[in-house]
Amino acid sequence: MEERPQWDPEAWGSAEGRPAPRAARTGPSLSSVLNELPSAATLRYRGPGVLPWGAEEDEDEEAWRSMQTSADATHQELPEPGPSRELPWPMQARRAHRQRLARDRVAQGAGSTGAQWTRLIRRSKKKVREGLRSLQPWAWTLKRIGGQFGAGTESYFSLLRFLLLLNVLASVLTACMVLLPTWLEGTPPGPPAPNASSPCGSYNPGSHGLVTFATELFNLLSGEGFLEWSPLFYGFYPPRSHLTITYLCAAFATGLLYLLLILHRSVSGLKQTLLAESEALTRYSHRVFSAWDFGLSGEVHVRLRQRLILYELQVELEEARVRRKAAVRTLGQQARLWSVRLLLNLVVLALLGAAFYGIYWATRATVKLQDEPLVQRTPVLKLIVDYLPSIFISGVNFVLPPVFKLIAPLEGHTRSRQIVFILLRTVSLRLVSLLVLLISLWSQITCGGNAEEERCKTCGYNYKELACWETRLGQEMYKLLLFDLLTSLAVILLIQFPRRLLCGLCPGALGRFARTQEFQVPDEVLGLIYAQTVVWVGSFFCPLLPLLNTVKFLLLFYLKKITLFSTCSPASRTFRASTVNFFFPLVLLLGLAISAVPVLYSIFLIPPSKLCGPFRGQSSIWVAIPESICELPQTAQNFLFFLGTQAFAVPLLLISSILMAYTVALANSYGRLISELKRQIQTEAQNKVFLAQRAVALSSVNRAL
C-alpha cells in the first residue's frame, strides 16, 4: 500500500513555527509549484482581478499589472457571464463583477425594454412558483413526517396528496361536463316501468314497496336498490344528444389529465433518481457539505433536518455495505445466489397463479350462487355472495404481500432494490387480480366472446343476466372501493390501536414486541395505487366514483397520520426516497394503462345496454362521436375528418421524428458537456495528488540540506 504523505512544517517555514525569510527558503517557491498544476491554464475560472494561486501580497507592481491585463483579456474573450452568485469565482471577484455591472447599468441607463420585460417575467414566474408551493396542503405535516420517520414514509403521504389532487380535478370535470348538462336540459326521467319489456328483456332497478332499514343498509353497501337508479351510476343518465358527447369527452379529458400530471411527476422523480444512482455526486460529501439549509430557524425545524440527513446517510451506508459484500463474492457464491433467486421467483409465480385462479373461480361462483333460493331469501347471505369477489381479492392482498416481504431479503439485494421488487410483485398481484375480475365479468357480458350464442345473439350482450351491464360493472368497482375502505378502517381500529394499548398495558417482552410496529410503506403505497386503479376502471360506469375516492383519501390521510404518530416507530431500516419517488408514478402509469384497456374495449366494441344509459339504442358507444361530427358545418367536418387521414398522419410522424432526433442530439451534447465537466473534476483531483507529491519532495530536500 502506498504510504500517506506526512505534514512537515519545516518544509514550509522555520522550525519555531514562524515563516522563514524569503531568502532562507530552499527549492522552488509555492507560486511556481502551483503554476505547474494541470489546471493552471484555467485562470479565468478564478474570476477577473484575483491573484494567482500562491502569489504574495508584496510582489512587484509590474507582475501584478501583467496578471491583471491577462485576466481582463481572458474576461473579454469569454461570453457575458450570468448573475454573480452563479459564477464559480471567489467572493472578491464576484463583488467586483457585481460592481462593474452596476456601473454599466448606470452608464447605459435603465436598459432596454426587452431586458426589463425579461426580468419582470422571470420574477413573476418565481413569485407564482413560490405562491403555488405555499398553497400546497399539509406541507408542514409532510416535513415533520420526513424528519421523524424518514423520506420513504414521507413519500407515501406525498403520493396520497398527489392522488387526492387528481381525484379533486376529476370530480370537478365530471360535475361540469356530466352532472350540469344532465339537469340543464331538464329533469332526468325515472326508471323504466316494472311491466315494460323489449326484445332485450326488462330492467327494473330500485326497490318497490316498503323497505326495511336492514335492506336499505345492504343496498347502500352493494350499490343496489335506491342507489342503482341515481347519479352515482351510468344507467341513470338519459339518452340526450349533448349529454352523450359531454359524457364521452369527460372520460377522455380526465384520462388525458391523469396522464399528463403523472408524466410530469414521473419526469421530476426520474431526475432525482438518475442523480442519486449515478456517480456524479459523491455519496457522502454532498450530503455533509450541501444538505443543510442555513435558512432554518427554530429548534423543531433544525432537529427534523438533522434526522432527515441521518436517515439519508444510513441508507447510503447500508447500500455501500451490500455492494461491498457483493463485490467480493466468488463464482460459486454467485451461482448459489442466482439459483436461490430463481427458486424464489418460481415460488412467487406459483402463488400468483393460485391467487388469480381463485379470483376467477369466486367471480364465476357469484353468478351461480345469486340464483339460489336460499340466497334470495336471506339479505345477509345475499350481501356476502355479492361481495365474494371483493372478499377474495382483499384476502389474497392481505396474505401474500407479507410473504413477498419475507422472500425479498433472501435475494441479496439492497434495501431500495428490495422495495422495488416487493412493489413489483405486490402490484402484479393487485392489478392482475383486478384484471382477472374484469375478464370474468367480460366473459359474462359477452358470453365468452361468442356473439352467436343464444343469450347474446339478439342484443350483442347477455341481456338475460345483465340487463344494464354498465351499471353492474360500476357496482363491482363501487363495492371494491367501499370494501377496501372498510378493510383499512378495520385494520386501524381493530389491530393497530389495540396493539398500541397492549404496548402500554403489558410491560416486558410482550410490550416491547408491540412497540416495534413500523409503517409499511410498500403495502400502503400499493393500497393507494390499487384503489386509484379501481377508480379509473369504474369512473366511466360510476361517474361519481372519483368524488367518493376523494372523501376516502381525505379520511385516510388523517387516519394514517394519527396512526403513524401514535402507534408507529421509526423504521429500523430505511431506503432511498429518490428511487420510490420515480417508481411510484411509474406504477401509477401501469395502473392507468391497465384501467384504460377495459374502458376503451367497452367504448369501441361492446354494444351499449338497450334499456339504460345515455347511449341506449346505439350500436356502440363511440358511434355518438361520428354522428355528432356529421351535424357540424361542412368546413368543420372536412377539418376533423382530415385529422384522421394519412395526409395529416404522415407529416405529423415526420415532424415528430425530427423533433425526437433533435432532442436526442441535444441530450448527447449535454452528455458530452457533463463528461467534460467530470474530466475537469478528475483534473482537480490530480492537482491535489500533485501537490501532495511536491510537498513530500520539498520536505525530503529540506531534510537533506
Side-chain angles (χ1 to χ4, degrees), residues 213-520:
F213 175 76
T215 305
E216 292 288 355
L217 180 60
F218 294 149
N219 290 338
L220 178 65
L221 295 176
S222 62
E224 299 177 356
F226 68 95
L227 282 180
E228 188 170 354
W229 194 265
S230 68
L232 185 62
F233 293 110
Y234 166 93
F236 169 81
Y237 296 94
R240 296 169 180 169
S241 58
H242 293 89
L243 182 60
T244 56
I245 303 302
T246 57
Y247 198 99
L248 264 179
C249 290
F252 288 120
T254 52
L256 182 62
L257 180 66
Y258 288 142
L259 180 62
L260 294 178
L261 291 177
I262 295 174
L263 282 177
H264 179 267
R265 187 178 178 89
S266 301
V267 170
S268 60
L270 177 61
K271 294 177 183 178
Q272 300 174 3
T273 303
L274 293 178
L275 188 62
E277 296 293 339
S278 66
E279 299 295 334
L281 294 178
T282 307
R283 295 188 178 275
Y284 308 107
S285 61
H286 80 279
R287 285 187 171 84
V288 173
F289 296 107
S290 304
W292 188 255
D293 185 3
F294 289 93
L296 293 176
S297 60
E299 185 179 357
V300 178
H301 298 80
V302 170
R303 289 186 179 276
L304 290 178
R305 191 64 180 178
Q306 288 174 344
R307 290 174 181 171
L308 187 59
I309 296 174
L310 173 64
Y311 287 135
E312 291 177 353
L313 290 174
Q314 286 178 348
V315 171
E316 297 293 349
L317 291 171
E318 184 175 359
E319 294 192 356
R321 180 183 60 81
V322 175
R323 282 191 294 268
R324 191 165 53 248
K325 184 178 179 181
V328 297
R329 288 196 188 108
T330 62
L331 183 61
Q333 291 175 340
Q334 290 182 355
R336 191 183 307 113
L337 179 63
W338 282 102
S339 302
V340 171
R341 289 178 179 176
L342 179 61
L343 179 62
L344 292 176
N345 280 282
L346 290 177
V347 172
V348 169
L349 290 177
L351 292 175
L352 290 176
F356 299 153
Y357 178 77
I359 294 169
Y360 182 80
W361 171 85
T363 308
R364 302 286 292 182
T366 301
V367 180
K368 298 178 181 179
L369 292 175
Q370 284 176 343
D371 298 332
E372 295 291 333
L374 178 62
V375 175
Q376 295 289 340
R377 292 194 303 267
T378 311
V380 177
L381 194 58
K382 183 176 183 301
L383 181 66
I384 294 175
V385 170
D386 289 340
Y387 268 90
L388 186 60
S390 304
I391 294 172
F392 202 92
I393 290 175
S394 299
V396 167
N397 292 334
F398 184 77
V399 172
L400 289 187
V403 178
F404 297 155
K405 199 178 303 177
L406 293 175
I407 290 175
L410 303 177
E411 295 178 306
H413 296 295
T414 62
R415 176 63 174 167
S416 299
R417 191 68 57 85
Q418 290 178 25
I419 295 296
V420 170
F421 276 100
I422 293 173
L423 287 173
L424 279 175
R425 289 160 182 166
T426 312
V427 78
S428 301
L429 172 66
R430 288 181 177 266
L431 297 185
V432 179
S433 62
L434 180 61
L435 199 59
V436 170
L437 174 63
L438 294 173
I439 291 173
S440 304
L441 292 173
W442 167 83
S443 179
Q444 297 177 27
I445 295 170
T446 62
C447 302
N450 185 11
E452 299 299 325
E453 190 174 338
E454 182 181 357
R455 296 176 299 168
C456 299
K457 189 174 183 180
T458 304
C459 301
Y461 63 94
N462 188 2
Y463 66 92
K464 293 184 179 180
E465 296 179 0
L466 303 170
C468 186
W469 62 267
E470 296 93 343
T471 297
R472 170 63 187 279
L473 194 56
Q475 288 173 343
E476 290 295 331
M477 300 301 107
Y478 171 80
K479 287 185 286 188
L480 285 175
L481 181 70
L482 194 60
F483 192 79
D484 185 65
L485 174 61
L486 295 176
T487 304
S488 301
L489 293 176
V491 169
I492 293 173
L493 299 177
L494 302 179
I495 297 178
Q496 293 181 346
F497 279 112
R499 182 177 179 178
R500 182 63 178 177
L501 293 176
L502 185 65
C503 169
L505 296 177
C506 300
L510 186 60
R512 286 193 300 271
F513 172 76
R515 194 180 296 113
T516 58
Q517 180 178 354
E518 296 181 2
F519 192 82
Q520 303 298 332

Side-chain angles (χ1 to χ4, degrees), residues 85-86 118-134:
R85 63 177 178 273
E86 298 178 3
T118 303
R119 288 194 298 270
L120 182 61
I121 292 173
R122 189 187 304 117
R123 292 172 183 171
S124 301
K125 286 182 179 179
K126 184 178 180 181
K127 290 182 179 179
V128 169
R129 195 178 296 114
E130 291 177 354
L132 292 177
R133 192 179 296 113
S134 63

Side-chain angles (χ1 to χ4, degrees), residues 17-40:
R18 296 185 299 273
R22 183 184 300 271
R25 298 180 189 174
T26 59
S29 64
L30 181 59
S31 177
S32 61
V33 172
L34 293 177
N35 286 331
E36 296 178 14
L37 291 175
S39 61

